[in-house]
Amino acid sequence: MKDQSNFIKTIMEEDLKSGKHDTIITRFPPEPNGFLHIGHARAIIINFELAKVFGGYTNLRFDDTNPETEDEMYVKAIKRDVEWLGYTPHGIYFASNYFDEMFERAVLLIKKGLAYVDDQTAEEIQKTRGDILTPGIESPYRNRSVEENLKLFYEMRDGKYKEGEKVLRAKIDMASPNMNMRDPVLYRISFAVHHNTKDKYKIYPMYDFAHPIEDAIEGITHSLCSLEFEDHRPLYDWVVRETEMPKVPRQIEFGRLGLKNTVMSKRFLKQLVTENLVDGWDDPRLPTIGGLRRKGYTKEAIRSFILATGLSKVNSEVEVDMLEAFVRDDLQAKAKRAFAVINPLKVTITNYPEDKIEYVDVPYHPDFDYGSRKIAFGRNIYIEKEDFSEVKPDNKYKRLSLGNEVRLFHTYFIKAYDVIKDENGEIIEVLATYDPETKSGSGFNSRKPDGTIHFVEASQAIKAQFNFYGPLLVGDDSKDLIERFNRDSLHIKYGFVENALKDVQLYDKFQFVRNGYFNTDHSKEDLLVFNETVALKSSYK
Ligand code: ATP
Ligand code: MG
């Protein structure tokens, strides 16, 4: 971000130059009602990186003004995700810490004749708002006296009225061309238990009233938010001005980030989780930060991707393939390489001694020093089913077939001479011979085998589960989201990995040679679990 120019950075530069501010303070303001997703990563990165460019700082502030949907669990997850992305907030705050001050500011508005208690129902308020062409209708309660409004507002605070019975509204302009200025609701009654303040408050401020005050209290200089708040900006400025906040933040909007064939709506993600259609908020199919992490994405890849999508004033929807390219780029240098056989086919090397196992020392990466591991070779091995064909289809075929020879990585040439089939005619075992003269590195290059394939030695192989993921959504967007959920988005395969991986740790990353990049998931008893992060090559055209 340091070297990129963008419209927000330009504004910040000007504000520093003109002396309007002497430092840049931003905030990331999630509502703790779900896990963060890749769209939030854009907001996080923009806020933290821009403040950093100018030596300023960024707060993490939980915008917790809706007790019905918020939860401590989300607070924890959000903190963890922000940290994981590599950002340390200057301070961690809660909107709910400011409820008393917000209340006092609302009282000030009432005293100034700029707010009133309305007894209309939510439906009535909605109905009388008018539309772009028609002005709204003023509430019959709009002209209550300051004294009456104060008394009613205090009573609302004290729990004297039922939910929905009364609200506090700003008194602005029911004919404003901006719908947000048509006497917006500032406070509502709710008896829900708040994750932070429990049952202390019976009334809660609305986002449009709370957010500018939160920003002003923290001395936020530039309040960056996504585009849907553009029409709310006049109200934002009105609240800061009329509540007489000493510090004046400026709201600036940027475009939201979306990914094709996936969805960022927290409501929908939550539905998938609560209906058990996915394995929690960090299911690798979800575009949540937790899901991407569990899939094996790195913060560096996410960050490079976000920076590459640029910062613009329009919403953008990007192909998943672009994100995957950054992941591949990053993992190509970071992931250790190892062998996994995902679709195992047994091969018996009949001229190799029964009880002999030999080992070769192989580095985990050809270009970086990640140490090495011992690869076992013996009479019984597994290869991929796809790497064998009874009949060699053509001369370009680069795998094993009857009567022909392949090289096994780092070990020997083997030649298949027979197959064993089950009652359905399916091949369950291949019989082969090896040539001891072809041992890795000992001058066998005059003979050209049909390609090189990977394998694992059977007696020492570790059982493994491999999870493959398809897109979260299928079909076109004329359909309902839940109908578009891809019920065939998880494919599980059982195979083997080489013995050296027996002590892998959660989230260890591997390139399984010829198979793809994988991330270690929570292991089960006697079974390691790996999630496919991304294929080795893009399938994108
Ligand atoms: P909801 O779906 O509940 O409205 P939200 O996705 O807007 O939620 P918030 O917790 O309010 O979630 O978001 C925190 C911040 O992240 C906001 O400033 C919002 O503008 C920003 N943000 C959310 N989604 C995106 C996105 N897809 N791209 C860029 N910024 C986003
Ligand atoms: Mg929001």
Side-chain angles (χ1 to χ4, degrees):
M1 188 128 321
K2 202 163 164 217
D3 313 311
Q4 279 179 336
S5 77
N6 63 61
F7 66 101
I8 301 178
K9 199 167 145 192
T10 305
I11 293 171
M12 290 174 167
E13 271 159 2
E14 284 164 5
D15 286 349
L16 288 172
K17 214 157 100 203
S18 71
K20 184 174 173 195
H21 299 295
D22 47 23
T23 181
I24 300 294
I25 307 171
T26 60
R27 87 288 171 261
F28 171 62
E31 180 173 1
N33 62 353
F35 277 45
L36 298 181
H37 51 60
I38 183 98
H40 291 116
R42 171 181 273 188
I44 293 169
I45 290 171
I46 287 172
N47 276 295
F48 279 89
E49 294 291 338
L50 279 174
K52 197 155 71 187
V53 168
F54 298 104
Y57 64 80
T58 304
N59 289 338
L60 170 59
R61 185 205 316 135
F62 291 95
D63 211 334
D64 54 349
T65 54
N66 293 306
E68 298 87 354
T69 55
E70 295 158 2
D71 198 283
E72 203 51 34
M73 160 178 99
Y74 301 126
V75 171
K76 285 208 188 91
I78 290 170
K79 280 185 190 165
R80 172 174 179 205
D81 287 347
V82 171
E83 293 279 346
W84 181 75
L85 283 171
Y87 297 105
T88 305
H90 176 83
I92 297 180
Y93 303 106
F94 291 85
S96 53
N97 295 149
Y98 310 140
F99 281 169
D100 290 338
E101 167 144 17
M102 288 176 197
F103 183 83
E104 291 311 323
R105 300 281 163 180
V107 167
L108 176 64
L109 289 183
I110 295 174
K111 287 183 177 159
K112 289 167 81 175
L114 293 175
Y116 61 96
V117 173
D118 195 344
D119 296 0
Q120 294 185 105
T121 62
E123 296 76 57
E124 284 165 339
I125 291 174
Q126 180 58 34
K127 254 200 252 149
T128 51
R129 268 181 94 210
D131 54 37
I132 316 175
L133 300 173
T134 344
I137 300 163
E138 293 188 355
S139 165
Y141 305 97
R142 197 172 195 261
N143 295 313
R144 279 176 160 152
S145 69
V146 169
E147 291 67 38
E148 190 184 3
N149 278 319
L150 281 177
K151 176 177 156 284
L152 293 173
F153 189 49
Y154 287 132
E155 287 174 349
M156 278 169 65
R157 177 196 60 185
D158 297 338
K160 213 176 146 194
Y161 303 107
K162 289 199 286 290
E163 289 185 359
E165 212 178 323
K166 287 184 169 31
V167 292
L168 183 75
R169 292 178 77 175
K171 191 171 180 176
I172 309 179
D173 179 5
M174 285 306 288
S176 171
N178 183 332
M179 300 293 290
N180 295 301
M181 300 300 270
R182 294 188 184 176
D183 291 11
V185 174
L186 305 180
Y187 266 91
R188 66 196 173 95
I189 298 168
S190 169
F191 297 131
V193 177
H194 188 278
H195 77 98
N196 191 18
T197 58
K198 309 298 176 216
D199 61 357
K200 181 170 176 197
Y201 298 98
K202 315 283 183 243
I203 55 171
Y204 290 90
M206 303 299 288
Y207 177 90
D208 281 333
F209 178 68
H211 205 83
I213 296 179
E214 295 156 26
D215 285 341
I217 290 173
E218 290 174 21
I220 302 302
T221 55
H222 300 81
S223 176
L224 315 180
C225 62
S226 38
L227 216 54
E228 71 272 22
F229 294 106
E230 194 171 15
D231 292 345
H232 297 242
R233 193 180 344 120
L235 179 55
Y236 182 100
D237 292 339
W238 183 93
V239 171
V240 174
R241 188 174 64 244
E242 298 301 348
T243 60
E244 301 174 18
M245 297 304 293
K247 290 186 180 157
V248 179
R250 169 171 175 186
Q251 175 180 306
I252 307 171
E253 307 84 22
F254 59 84
R256 273 176 104 88
L257 174 67
L259 280 182
K260 289 239 167 72
N261 293 325
T262 190
V263 75
M264 309 282 185
S265 149
K266 274 192 261 180
R267 187 190 300 182
F268 177 64
L269 296 176
K270 191 179 236 164
Q271 190 181 356
L272 292 179
V273 173
T274 48
E275 292 182 15
N276 289 317
L277 292 168
V278 295
D279 181 24
W281 279 96
D282 66 348
D283 185 294
R285 285 167 288 184
L286 301 183
T288 53
I289 304 295
L292 298 177
R293 179 169 56 228
R294 195 167 156 204
K295 203 174 175 195
Y297 286 26
T298 59
K299 60 180 175 191
E300 291 81 6
I302 292 174
R303 198 174 159 277
S304 309
F305 163 73
I306 296 287
L307 292 177
T309 62
L311 180 52
S312 98
K313 263 188 243 196
V314 289
N315 293 335
S316 54
E317 197 180 50
V318 183
E319 296 280 351
V320 175
D321 209 73
M322 175 176 172
L323 174 54
E324 289 189 342
F326 282 97
V327 174
R328 219 176 266 121
D329 262 13
D330 194 45
L331 290 181
Q332 120 62 41
K334 276 186 190 149
K336 290 180 175 177
R337 306 210 179 155
F339 294 142
V341 174
I342 290 169
N343 259 321
L345 173 62
K346 201 169 151 187
V347 178
T348 305
I349 297 157
T350 51
N351 64 338
Y352 197 87
E354 291 264 359
D355 42 15
K356 184 177 165 190
I357 300 278
E358 61 185 296
Y359 297 93
V360 253
D361 205 50
V362 179
Y364 273 118
H365 199 288
D367 310 319
F368 300 95
D369 185 13
Y370 295 140
S372 67
R373 84 281 193 191
K374 292 204 179 324
I375 291 180
F377 180 77
R379 183 180 166 93
N380 299 300
I381 64 170
Y382 294 114
I383 65 169
E384 301 286 353
K385 274 201 180 106
E386 299 79 26
D387 281 342
F388 178 75
S389 168
E390 254 185 293
V391 182
K392 183 173 175 172
D394 55 51
N395 275 331
K396 278 184 249 148
Y397 188 69
K398 286 274 173 266
R399 299 161 188 209
L400 186 62
S401 55
L402 281 186
N404 298 300
E405 211 172 30
V406 286
R407 175 190 295 149
L408 296 177
F409 269 113
H410 307 297
T411 50
Y412 296 99
F413 290 12
I414 58 167
K415 187 181 208 163
Y417 67 88
D418 203 359
V419 291
I420 299 173
K421 296 183 178 176
D422 65 9
E423 58 272 24
N424 304 317
E426 216 180 302
I427 300 168
I428 51 170
E429 190 176 338
V430 175
L431 302 179
T433 56
Y434 86 114
D435 179 354
E437 298 304 310
T438 57
K439 186 161 180 156
S440 160
S442 49
F444 50 84
N445 280 328
S446 52
R447 217 156 82 211
K448 255 197 162 316
D450 288 348
T452 304
I453 63 171
H454 64 276
F455 70 100
V456 294
E457 193 282 321
S459 70
Q460 308 211 347
I462 312 284
K463 274 195 212 140
Q465 171 181 334
F466 302 92
N467 297 326
F468 292 85
Y469 304 100
L472 187 65
L473 298 180
V474 284
D476 62 276
D477 35 331
S478 61
K479 280 205 225 127
D480 183 57
L481 278 178
I482 205 77
E483 268 177 63
R484 288 185 68 201
F485 171 67
N486 180 4
R487 282 169 195 269
D488 190 30
S489 48
L490 171 63
H491 289 238
I492 298 177
K493 292 194 175 149
Y494 294 96
F496 298 94
V497 294
E498 55 178 278
N499 188 273
L501 271 50
K502 65 176 184 299
D503 295 322
V504 284
Q505 303 293 307
L506 187 65
Y507 294 176
D508 279 353
K509 294 174 175 50
F510 294 96
Q511 182 194 118
F512 289 140
V513 175
R514 298 174 70 231
N515 273 320
Y517 291 99
F518 287 79
N519 194 37
T520 311
D521 204 331
H522 304 276
S523 294
K524 301 177 187 164
E525 209 182 321
D526 290 335
L527 188 70
L528 297 175
V529 181
F530 297 96
N531 301 331
E532 189 193 35
T533 309
V534 64
L536 289 177
K537 287 202 181 73
S538 165
S539 57
Y540 188 64
K541 285 167 205 84

